[in-house]
Amino acid sequence: MRLRLLKKNFIAFLVVLTVFVVLFYTIRRAKSETSAEEGEKEITQTAIMVKFDYGTIENMRKSVYDSNYRQFVQNQDRFPSDPEAVVVVQVHNRPAYLKMLIRSLEKVTGIQNTLVVFSHDYFSEEISDMVKEIAFCRVLQIYFPYSTQLYPNEFPGQDPQDCPRDVSKEDAVKKGCLNAEHPDSYGHYREASITQTKHHWWWKLHFVFERVRVLRGYNGFVVFLEEDNYLLPDFLAYFKSMTELRRAKCGDCDILAAGNHNGLSGFQELSSQTETAGWLSTKHNIGMGVSRELYYKLMGCNNAFCTYDDYNWDWTLQNLSGACISKPLKVLVALGSRVLHTGDCGLHQKEGCRPEKALERVDEALKEAQAALFPPALTLTDHGPVQHQPHVKNGGWGDVRDHTLCINYAARL
C-alpha cells in the first residue's frame, strides 16, 4: 500500500516538474523574443540620432558601416504598412539629375505604398539632405562600402603603385607596379573610377535581396533605376499591370523592363503595348524589374559575372544570358516607356551637362503623353526571338583584385 502511494506521489511530482519546466522555458523564450524585438526597436530609435560623419575618410567609413547595419527607414511612422512595391536607385554624384528623379517619384500614383532605396557610392551632405527631405514614401539609404571615395589611395581606389592604364605589360613588369601581371584583354590596366559602377551594382543586388531587414518576406519584383531616370506618373500602376500580364501570358519571362530608350516617341499608340524578347544590354537595362527567383539564378553565376572582362554590369549580364545561365533571359518590355533617361552626362562625359534642358524636354513630352497614361489593360503584341547574343567584351575588368572583391560580396555583406 505504501509503495503504491509513493508511486502515485512520484508520478504527481513528475507531472508538476514537467509543467514547471515547460512554463520556465516558455517564459524564458517569450522574454528572449521580447528582448530581441526591443533590441531591434532600439537599433531603429538609435538610428534616428545617428549623423553621418563626413569629417574624415575614417569617419565616413565608420558611418557607412553603421548606417548599413542600422538601416533606418525614413517615414516609417507615416507609412507603417508593408511595402507593395520596391524601387532601388543607384546614386553617384549628379545631384541635379537626382533632384529630377525625386520630383518624378513624388508625382507617381501609389508612391505612398512603396519603399524607395537609395544606394550611394558617393557621400555628400548635399545628396543626403536631398533624400532626407522626402516625405511622400518610405525611404532607406544604403551605402556602398568599397567606394573609391573611401579608399582614394589604395585598392579598390587607385593605388599610387598601380600600373598606369596604357603602359605595356613588359614595361609594367620591369617597373614592378602592383598589378603588372593582370592587364585586361586589350593590354590596359584598371582605372578605379571605371570599375566602381559594376562593383556597386553587384554589391547592391546582394544587399537588397539578402540584407535589407524590412524586405524580409517580400516576394515581389524589385525595380532598379539610376539617378538620371525619370518616372511617369502611372509607373507603379503600369508595372503592376505588367506583373499581372506576366502571370497570365508570360510565365517564363525573367525580367520586366518598364522602360526603353525610345523616349516618348509614338507614346499615344504604344502606351498599352508590350512585347517579349531576349534581354539586350542596349535595350532593356532601364527600369528593370528583378524577382528573387532571378536573383538566385544570377548568384549561381557569381564567379562568371565577377571575372568577365567588361566593366559594364549590363554587358556582363548579357554575356551570362545563355552562357552561364543555360536558358537566355527573357524580358517583357514596355513599348510605351514609363522610365525616361534624362542624363546627358555620365561615366565618360563630365562637361557640358545641361540638366535644366533635360527637364524642359521631359515636361514638354509629358504634356503630349498625358492623355495616354493609365491604360485600362495591357496587350502583348509581339514575341521576339529569345537567344544568346554574344558581343565583343569591352575590357577594363582584368585585375584579379576586382574579381576577388566582387566574388566575396556575398560573404562580406
Side-chain angles (χ1 to χ4, degrees), residues 257-277:
N260 60 56
H261 291 280
N262 300 327
L264 295 182
S265 176
F267 186 80
Q268 300 282 349
E269 297 76 28
L270 299 174
S271 174
S272 63
Q273 297 180 27
T274 67
E275 68 178 9
T276 60

Side-chain angles (χ1 to χ4, degrees), residues 5-302:
L5 186 61
L6 285 173
K7 188 176 180 181
K8 284 182 180 179
N9 289 341
F10 179 70
I11 292 171
F13 171 75
L14 284 179
V15 170
V16 171
L17 181 63
T18 303
V19 170
F20 175 78
V21 170
V22 170
L23 283 172
F24 175 77
Y25 280 103
T26 300
I27 293 168
R28 186 175 178 181
R29 183 178 177 182
K31 284 183 177 179
S32 177
E33 289 174 353
T34 302
S35 298
E37 288 173 6
E38 288 175 352
E40 198 153 313
K41 283 181 182 176
E42 188 178 338
I43 287 173
T44 304
Q45 290 165 356
T46 306
I48 296 172
M49 296 181 283
V50 168
K51 181 173 170 56
F52 198 104
D53 190 341
Y54 300 93
T56 66
I57 288 175
E58 285 301 321
N59 288 348
M60 279 198 293
R61 287 182 187 175
K62 183 179 183 303
S63 293
V64 163
Y65 281 97
D66 194 40
S67 299
N68 284 345
Y69 171 69
R70 295 180 185 279
Q71 297 181 21
F72 170 59
V73 179
Q74 181 178 320
N75 303 322
Q76 179 70 44
D77 54 337
R78 297 184 191 179
F79 310 104
S81 302
D82 291 336
E84 295 178 9
V86 178
V87 171
V88 179
V89 184
Q90 182 158 324
V91 184
H92 181 52
N93 185 24
R94 292 180 289 176
Y97 293 102
L98 178 61
K99 186 175 183 179
M100 283 193 283
L101 171 62
I102 293 172
R103 169 185 161 175
S104 75
L105 281 167
E106 186 172 13
K107 296 178 180 179
V108 172
T109 299
I111 195 65
Q112 70 276 8
N113 302 317
T114 304
L115 173 70
V116 181
V117 181
F118 292 90
S119 183
H120 303 273
D121 61 33
Y122 183 83
F123 318 115
S124 77
E125 290 188 74
E126 178 186 12
I127 292 173
S128 180
D129 290 345
M130 197 179 297
V131 175
K132 285 178 182 177
E133 288 175 2
I134 294 174
F136 50 79
C137 69
R138 278 156 293 189
V139 171
L140 171 65
Q141 297 193 70
I142 61 175
Y143 303 87
F144 177 50
Y146 304 104
S147 162
T148 57
Q149 186 183 7
L150 300 178
Y151 297 89
N153 299 307
E154 59 183 303
F155 179 86
Q158 201 74 39
D159 193 302
Q161 297 183 60
D162 283 348
C163 301
R165 177 186 184 274
D166 297 320
V167 70
S168 69
K169 184 174 181 180
E170 182 181 359
D171 289 343
V173 171
K174 287 180 182 176
K175 186 177 180 179
C177 45
L178 287 178
N179 49 338
E181 295 296 334
H182 304 289
D184 68 8
S185 301
Y186 304 99
H188 300 302
Y189 290 95
R190 84 183 291 268
E191 297 172 273
S193 60
I194 297 296
T195 62
Q196 177 166 268
T197 301
K198 180 173 174 176
H199 274 296
H200 184 179
W201 195 86
W202 199 239
W203 172 86
K204 172 190 67 183
L205 196 66
H206 280 291
F207 197 88
V208 167
F209 279 103
E210 298 284 359
R211 295 294 186 268
V212 174
R213 289 189 292 273
V214 73
L215 292 182
R216 288 174 184 166
Y218 177 78
N219 291 315
F221 280 80
V222 176
V223 181
F224 289 92
L225 302 172
E226 297 184 6
E227 64 189 341
D228 61 351
N229 292 159
Y230 191 102
L231 302 185
L232 270 61
D234 68 342
F235 170 80
L236 288 173
Y238 187 91
F239 192 81
K240 183 179 180 181
S241 295
M242 285 189 81
T243 63
E244 292 168 353
L245 183 64
R246 174 186 180 268
R247 191 180 303 117
K249 296 187 176 180
C250 193
D252 60 341
C253 283
D254 299 289
I255 296 172
L256 304 182
N260 60 56
H261 291 280
N262 300 327
L264 295 182
S265 176
F267 186 80
Q268 300 282 349
E269 297 76 28
L270 299 174
S271 174
S272 63
Q273 297 180 27
T274 67
E275 68 178 9
T276 60
W279 194 87
L280 292 177
S281 163
T282 52
K283 290 185 176 182
H284 309 132
N285 62 353
I286 180 170
M288 281 176 52
V290 175
S291 66
R292 191 171 291 276
E293 181 183 7
L294 176 59
Y295 165 73
Y296 289 137
K297 282 186 184 179
L298 295 177
M299 290 310 102
C301 295
N302 192 27

